[in-house]
Amino acid sequence: MLKQSNPTDIGKRILHAASYQFGLVIKLALFAIEEALYFADTTLEERHFAVAFKNWKGCAEAFNPFLVNDFLQIDTQKMFTSEELV
C-alpha cells in the first residue's frame, strides 16, 4: 500500500532504510541531496529520499521505506551486502 504522507516519521524512515547504520544514513542523505540538486530543488524532501533509495537499491515500490505505510515490515538488511553493513 502506498503511504499517506506523515512528516513526523521521515527520520524513522531514513534510519530504517539505512538499517540503522550511521554510515549508510550519510550515504542515503548524500544520494537524496544529489536528487534534489539534479532537479534544482531548494528543499530536501521525502520524495528525494524515495528516488535515491530506489536508485541505490533497485527495489520495487512495495519495498521502498519511503513509499509504503508499514515501512517497518520491510527487512532492509536483506537489501545490503555484508560489506555495507560492517
Side-chain angles (χ1 to χ4, degrees):
M1 172 182 213
L2 292 180
K3 81 173 196 71
Q4 297 172 353
S5 186
N6 181 356
T8 60
D9 65 10
I10 183 65
K12 293 175 188 174
R13 288 177 186 275
I14 293 169
L15 286 170
H16 186 73
S19 292
Y20 303 90
Q21 302 286 320
F22 182 70
L24 297 179
V25 168
I26 299 302
K27 192 174 199 174
L28 178 57
L30 290 173
F31 290 154
I33 291 167
E34 286 177 1
E35 284 298 319
L37 290 173
Y38 180 77
F39 292 104
D41 293 334
T42 58
T43 305
L44 186 60
E45 299 176 6
E46 189 171 358
R47 64 187 172 95
H48 298 120
F49 284 94
V51 172
F53 189 82
K54 177 186 153 249
N55 292 341
W56 183 22
K57 293 289 127 192
C59 65
E61 287 184 1
F63 297 102
N64 189 322
F66 299 98
L67 298 178
V68 296
N69 281 325
D70 200 6
F71 66 96
L72 292 174
Q73 296 304 311
I74 299 170
D75 187 353
T76 56
Q77 285 195 337
K78 290 183 179 180
M79 296 180 189
F80 293 99
T81 66
S82 59
E83 293 149 0
E84 287 178 301
L85 292 174
V86 174

